[in-house]
């Protein structure tokens, strides 16, 4: 059944008392001229009615008092209906659609519901953004917006950052021959006169076509973001991180996983400006080195750090984390091949707040005896991955620290007696 939250809100908002007979028509169309004149809402949420887009279009011209429209049961709905609504029904206040693939320009709504199966494109998001001043509900009340995994979105879908339009930089390169522009490229920049001052969470994960300009526009128009995810935005560079750093103390969670072009310089800029960061994800950022990790270690409130498959991270960064991040609770170091067991021992001994440590695939963590402190691997994993699975949580981290303390003591005894050191897999102190 349809979610009637929007309609309940609509009823509470008040209606013109001069039209006491205004009513909703449910899973059918108005039957005559009088009903069309008195219809304030049409609800078609049952696909079995067989109502088509053409039938909807033929009726809306006569529904001059129409204020809310639910079309989740119209299977062949397209942007044609939305355009006609914008042109002909100026009083429309609410729209709920499902399955409309390309929405070119919705009217200035007060609530908008876009259901499952909708493919968002640049004109869709641009149109929604332009309605922000009047929208009171957008799925999560404009505090949290997720556009993750909408690969068709480009910079055109995001607010435009006004820049200095001086002379174009001179270039010695030979200009490329002219080619016709696509309709997407002909779209005007999205110029917004307002800022999303209530926006706190923004997820742009997997938008492979957006560039640094999109991030710059987002930061200008969403200046107090608390959580930002840019994971998988593979076209971004350090310039995007320069823009992110302008969020300053408002930003507490940042996901930059799988962005191959960012370097230490960009991460260091974010760490220096966004001093309230608590969680940072840099998984699969292969160009980063110890310098970026050391800069993040200086954050006073950081509790979670993800460095999965950052191959240039070495023991120097791990020692630094152990000495400078007493607040760290969760650390992910899987597949960081250059880390030694000695640096991991130092880390867990110094970081008493550490509650979760992943070192899956780290060669040093495959040493015999460590596996008994690890969480069990997922059953669906193949045997070769189960063999390298190393995840330590809760009390097991303390027991691992005690085990490595004993091994360190046995190594020192062996060195004092000038005899070969033999690693053990149990907790006994015997040298042999």
């Amino acid at each position: 059944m349809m979610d009637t939250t929007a309609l309940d809100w609509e009823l509470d908002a008040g209606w013109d008392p001069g039209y006491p007979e205004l009513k909703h028509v449910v899973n059918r169309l108005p039957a005559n001229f009088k009903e069309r004149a008195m219809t304030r809402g049409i609800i078609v949420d049952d696909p079995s009615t067989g109502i088509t887009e053409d039938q909807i279009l033929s009726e809306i011209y006569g529904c001059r008092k129409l204020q809310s429209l639910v079309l989740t049961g119209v299977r062949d709905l397209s942007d044609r209906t939305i355009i006609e609504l914008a042109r002909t029904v100026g009083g429309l206040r609410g729209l709920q659609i499902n399955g409309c693939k390309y929405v070119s320009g919705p009217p200035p709504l007060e609530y908008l519901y876009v259901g499952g199966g909708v493919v968002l494109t640049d004109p869709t998001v641009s149109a929604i953004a332009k309605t922000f001043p009047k929208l009171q509900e957008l799925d999560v009340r404009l505090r949290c917006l997720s556009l993750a995994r909408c690969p068709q979105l480009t910079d055109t879908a995001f607010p435009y950052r006004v820049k200095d339009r001086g002379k174009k930089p001179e270039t010695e390169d030979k200009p490329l021959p002219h080619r016709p522009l696509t309709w997407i490229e002909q779209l005007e920049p999205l110029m917004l006169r307002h800022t999303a001052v209530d926006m706190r969470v923004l997820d742009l994960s997997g938008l492979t076509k957006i560039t640094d300009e999109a991030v710059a526009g987002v930061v200008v128009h969403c200046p107090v973001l608390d959580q930002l995810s840019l994971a998988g935005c593979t076209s971004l560079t350090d310039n995007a991180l320069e823009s992110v750093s302008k969020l300053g103390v408002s930003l507490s969670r940042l996901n930059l996983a799988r962005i191959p072009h960012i370097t230490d310089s960009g991460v260091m800029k974010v760490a220096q400006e966004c001093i309230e960061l608590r969680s940072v994800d840099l998984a699969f950022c292969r160009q980063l080195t110890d310098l970026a990790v050391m800069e993040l270690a200086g954050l006073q409130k950081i509790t979670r750090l993800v460095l999965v498959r950052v191959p240039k991270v070495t023991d120097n960064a791990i020692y630094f984390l152990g000495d400078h991040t007493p607040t760290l609770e969760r650390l992910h170091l899987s597949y960081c091949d250059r880390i030694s067991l000695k640096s991991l021992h130092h880390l867990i001994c110094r970081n008493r707040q550490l509650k979760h440590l992943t070192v899956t695939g780290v060669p040093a963590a495959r040493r015999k005896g460590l596996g008994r402190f690890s969480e069990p691997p997922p059953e669906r994993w193949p045997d070769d991955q189960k063999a390298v699975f190393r995840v330590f949580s809760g009390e097991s981290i303390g027991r691992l620290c005690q085990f490595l303390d004993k091994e360190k003591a046995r190594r020192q005894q062996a060195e004092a007696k000038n005899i070969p050191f033999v690693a053990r897999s149990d907790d006994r102190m015997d040298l042999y």
Side-chain angles (χ1 to χ4, degrees):
M1 293 298 293
M2 182 198 68
D3 182 5
T4 60
T5 304
L7 300 181
D8 293 339
W9 171 87
E10 168 188 291
L11 291 172
D12 292 338
W15 296 86
D16 189 345
Y19 297 94
E21 299 180 20
L22 291 179
K23 63 179 181 179
H24 281 96
V25 176
V26 180
N27 288 325
R28 64 179 180 86
L29 297 175
N32 50 51
F33 175 80
K34 181 179 179 181
E35 195 169 35
R36 292 190 192 97
M38 293 294 102
T39 297
R40 72 178 183 187
I42 297 177
I43 302 173
V44 181
D45 62 349
D46 185 1
S48 64
T49 60
I51 296 176
T52 65
E53 180 181 53
D54 290 336
Q55 292 174 317
I56 293 291
L57 288 174
S58 65
E59 292 294 333
I60 60 175
Y61 295 110
C63 300
R64 296 302 179 181
K65 301 296 188 299
L66 191 64
Q67 296 178 335
S68 66
L69 191 59
V70 177
L71 301 177
T72 56
V74 182
R75 292 307 187 190
D76 63 342
L77 196 68
S78 70
D79 61 346
R80 185 162 62 107
T81 299
I82 311 303
I83 294 173
E84 289 301 319
L85 286 172
R87 290 175 179 173
T88 61
V89 189
L92 190 66
R93 301 173 64 184
L95 176 64
Q96 182 171 342
I97 56 178
N98 184 11
C100 181
K101 293 186 177 180
Y102 301 100
V103 181
S104 298
L109 307 176
E110 296 181 9
Y111 63 83
L112 172 62
Y113 292 85
V114 182
V118 175
V119 180
L120 289 180
T121 58
D122 292 345
T124 308
V125 178
S126 297
I128 292 174
K130 289 176 181 177
T131 66
F132 274 4
K134 291 190 176 182
L135 273 173
Q136 296 186 21
E137 288 190 47
L138 176 59
D139 193 32
V140 281
R141 305 190 70 83
L142 294 183
R143 294 182 62 86
C144 174
L145 176 62
S146 176
L147 299 175
R149 294 171 294 283
C150 295
Q152 297 186 40
L153 297 184
T154 69
D155 290 357
T156 312
F158 296 90
Y160 181 73
R161 176 185 59 165
V162 179
K163 297 177 291 187
D164 183 16
R165 297 187 178 183
K167 295 182 178 180
K168 294 183 179 180
E170 297 182 359
T171 176
E172 298 180 356
D173 297 335
K174 184 177 180 180
L176 296 174
H178 176 73
R179 66 173 179 82
L181 297 177
T182 65
W183 73 275
I184 286 289
E185 294 171 329
Q186 292 175 355
L187 289 174
E188 293 293 328
L190 177 56
M191 307 293 292
L192 300 180
R193 297 181 180 179
H194 59 278
T195 57
V197 293
D198 292 327
M199 185 74 71
R200 294 295 183 268
V201 181
L202 182 60
D203 186 356
L204 305 179
S205 303
L207 305 190
T208 57
K209 293 183 180 181
I210 67 170
T211 68
D212 300 336
E213 284 301 315
V215 176
V218 165
V219 170
V220 169
H221 291 83
C222 302
V224 288
L225 284 175
D226 176 67
Q227 301 179 34
L228 176 62
S229 177
L230 300 172
C233 298
T234 54
S235 299
L236 300 184
T237 68
D238 285 344
N239 291 331
L241 300 191
E242 178 80 18
S243 299
V244 171
S245 68
K246 297 177 182 178
L247 292 172
V249 296
S250 67
L251 190 64
S252 68
R253 296 180 180 273
L254 180 62
N255 189 343
L256 302 174
R258 300 179 185 272
I259 306 180
H261 304 300
I262 62 174
T263 66
D264 291 343
S265 177
V267 175
M268 291 169 68
K269 180 65 175 178
V270 171
Q272 291 166 2
E273 300 295 332
C274 304
I275 58 176
E276 296 292 318
L277 277 172
R278 297 175 180 270
S279 173
V280 181
D281 191 336
L282 299 172
F284 294 86
C285 297
R286 299 178 185 273
Q287 295 194 46
L288 300 182
T289 70
D290 292 344
L291 290 177
V293 180
M294 291 177 180
E295 195 69 41
L296 292 171
L299 296 170
Q300 298 298 311
K301 297 183 180 181
I302 191 164
T303 60
R304 178 178 179 269
L305 182 59
V306 181
L307 300 171
V308 175
R309 282 200 191 277
V310 182
K312 296 182 180 180
V313 170
T314 69
D315 283 348
N316 292 330
I318 307 305
Y319 280 118
F320 202 87
L321 286 173
D323 293 334
H324 295 87
T325 55
T327 59
L328 196 61
E329 297 179 2
R330 303 179 70 86
L331 180 61
H332 302 264
L333 299 171
S334 296
Y335 301 100
C336 294
D337 298 338
R338 301 186 182 185
I339 297 175
S340 70
L341 191 59
K342 188 175 181 180
S343 66
L344 291 176
H345 182 204
H346 177 83
L347 173 74
I348 60 179
C349 286
R350 297 298 299 271
N351 289 79
R352 295 300 182 181
Q353 297 295 322
L354 196 63
K355 300 176 182 178
H356 187 84
L357 174 66
T358 65
V359 286
T360 297
V362 176
R366 299 187 65 179
R367 178 216 179 284
K368 66 177 183 178
L370 267 63
R372 60 194 176 103
F373 301 105
S374 172
E375 301 292 326
E379 290 295 332
R380 65 181 183 278
W381 279 25
D383 292 339
D384 57 338
Q385 293 188 17
K386 289 181 179 180
V388 300
F389 183 84
R390 296 291 185 273
V391 175
F392 307 101
S393 300
E395 296 180 355
S396 64
I397 294 180
R399 294 196 298 268
L400 174 63
C401 184
Q402 294 174 2
F403 172 76
L404 294 177
D405 285 341
K406 292 180 180 179
E407 179 165 282
K408 180 179 179 181
R410 290 196 308 106
R411 185 184 296 275
Q412 292 172 346
Q413 292 178 22
E415 292 175 355
K417 296 181 179 180
N418 197 24
I419 59 176
F421 171 73
V422 179
R424 302 185 65 97
S425 60
D426 54 35
D427 292 325
R428 297 177 60 184
M429 292 296 294
D430 300 338
L431 297 182
Y432 297 99

